[in-house]
Amino acid sequence: MSEILNSRRVVSGPRFLKGHGTENDFVILPDPDGVLDLPPALVARLCDRRAGIGADGVLRVVRSAAHPEALPMAAEAEWFMDYRNSDGSVAEMCGNGVRVFARYLVLAGLAKSGELAVATRAGVRQVHVAADRPGAPGEVTVRMGRAELPGPGSVTVSVGEYDWPALNVNMGNPHAVAFVDDLAQAGNLYATPSVEPASAYPTGVNVEFVVDRGPRHVAMRVHERGSGETRSCGTGACAVMVAAARRDGADPAVTGQPVTYTVDVPGGRLVITERVDGVVEMTGPAVIVAEGELSADWLKS
Ligand SMILES: N[C@@H](CCC[C@H](N)C(=O)O)C(=O)O
């Protein structure tokens, strides 16, 4: 059998990798010179879990100097994370994605482990890729920047018979964070939750549903703009941490103390700290699962 599998290559086309961070999964497209044509329909086909590779989004790896949106950041960050949601839409930032992106850069020899900078549409993010230990890949920490709480802070999230007050938190991308009694109240999340006033989110919104698990420990589900319910959202977990800290009277700007929360997501666990200067740091896993080639025939079809 392995002879048959090894006998010849059956496809040839652009390389891709598949990776995930707390089960938020991505197709990674190395495109250093920015030459790939990546229209929204192709992103959606790649992310299709039956007719494509399957993913919550695409991470295109482009040199900042080769991408017009990233050119102004090229002196600070060699690589630009061109992130797309599974419906093909563009997003400013992806917290799980930036950890997986950094893991790819290190494994591919394009960056060294330790400190590295990644350009995103939300600005440059500093990433620390911890050295691996035997059998345990090092975790990745991202300085996610400061949360913004656009006014009016309070919005309303509704699903079925339930309405909850929610906090408008921007982590480079938009979030509405609702504390609920039970994560099951969010239902199957096949449909996009309603968030009012809609004018608070002119470009759409990611919605987080949160319950308490213990002191400085919460659990969440998320409905992502452009991808539907996913198993994790890094920017969403940061937004949740900030909302929980405000609710709990633990805002570092007020207490003068950093605060750390454990945020459980369906696909794993993230640890998030808000520093006294307001910068939010997220730590979690980043895994590369596979590498392959796209079929040129499939691309043409
Ligand atoms: N899963 C990501 C967020 C991806 C972008 C989001 N769907 C949006 O449109 O803003 C994360 O880990 O942060």
Side-chain angles (χ1 to χ4, degrees):
M1 180 64 160
S2 61
E3 265 173 36
I4 297 171
L5 290 175
N6 290 332
S7 60
R8 66 191 172 100
R9 304 233 309 264
V10 293
V11 297
S12 74
R15 275 179 60 230
F16 75 92
L17 297 94
K18 179 78 196 284
H20 78 93
T22 52
E23 299 180 2
N24 194 192
D25 62 343
F26 309 102
V27 172
I28 302 156
L29 294 177
D31 183 23
D33 300 322
V35 293
L36 276 183
D37 185 23
L38 195 58
L42 177 56
V43 172
R45 286 181 73 209
L46 288 166
C47 293
D48 188 311
R49 295 193 184 278
R50 294 181 188 275
I53 297 164
D56 296 324
V58 166
L59 308 173
R60 183 159 72 117
V61 184
V62 197
R63 261 182 227 287
S64 300
H67 196 289
E69 285 178 87
L71 198 50
M73 295 179 272
E76 272 183 273
E78 183 179 358
W79 295 98
F80 172 56
M81 178 178 77
D82 176 9
Y83 176 79
R84 314 293 180 91
N85 288 313
S86 64
D87 68 354
S89 58
V90 167
E92 303 88 337
M93 177 53 187
C94 177
N96 290 319
V98 78
R99 294 198 318 277
V100 173
F101 188 96
R103 170 77 74 219
Y104 164 75
L105 291 180
V106 170
L107 287 177
L110 299 171
K112 291 198 170 65
S113 59
E115 291 292 318
L116 63 109
V118 175
T120 75
R121 290 190 177 86
V124 174
R125 296 291 179 260
Q126 299 297 326
V127 183
H128 181 86
V129 182
D132 295 344
R133 286 174 289 119
E139 296 230 303
V140 181
T141 299
V142 186
R143 266 169 259 153
M144 299 283 287
R146 293 182 179 80
E148 282 174 20
L149 307 183
S154 187
V155 294
T156 302
V157 168
S158 308
V159 175
E161 69 200 84
Y162 296 104
D163 295 321
W164 301 274
L167 191 65
N168 183 350
V169 183
N170 192 294
M171 287 303 311
N173 59 350
H175 296 268
V177 180
F179 291 90
V180 303
D181 293 330
D182 186 332
L183 292 178
Q185 289 173 337
N188 61 27
L189 286 179
Y190 294 159
T192 301
S194 143
V195 183
E196 294 292 337
S199 58
Y201 298 104
T203 60
V205 59
N206 302 284
V207 184
E208 288 79 28
F209 303 88
V210 192
V211 292
D212 288 301
R213 285 279 187 257
R216 306 277 188 264
H217 183 184
V218 294
M220 62 174 261
R221 287 173 67 193
V222 60
H223 185 281
E224 285 196 38
R225 175 180 67 166
S227 299
E229 183 172 21
T230 61
R231 304 272 300 162
S232 179
C233 176
T235 49
C238 293
V240 162
M241 181 270 145
V242 167
R246 301 300 178 277
R247 180 199 62 172
D248 297 343
D251 177 355
V254 176
T255 64
Q257 298 293 323
V259 62
T260 298
Y261 280 73
T262 299
V263 181
D264 290 344
V265 292
R269 176 168 284 182
L270 295 165
V271 176
I272 300 173
T273 297
E274 189 177 10
R275 304 186 327 199
V276 174
D277 63 5
V279 172
V280 176
E281 292 183 338
M282 171 190 59
T283 299
V287 181
I288 300 296
V289 175
E291 180 172 11
E293 277 173 13
L294 296 169
S295 155
D297 288 343
W298 178 83
L299 279 173
K300 270 186 256 150
S301 66

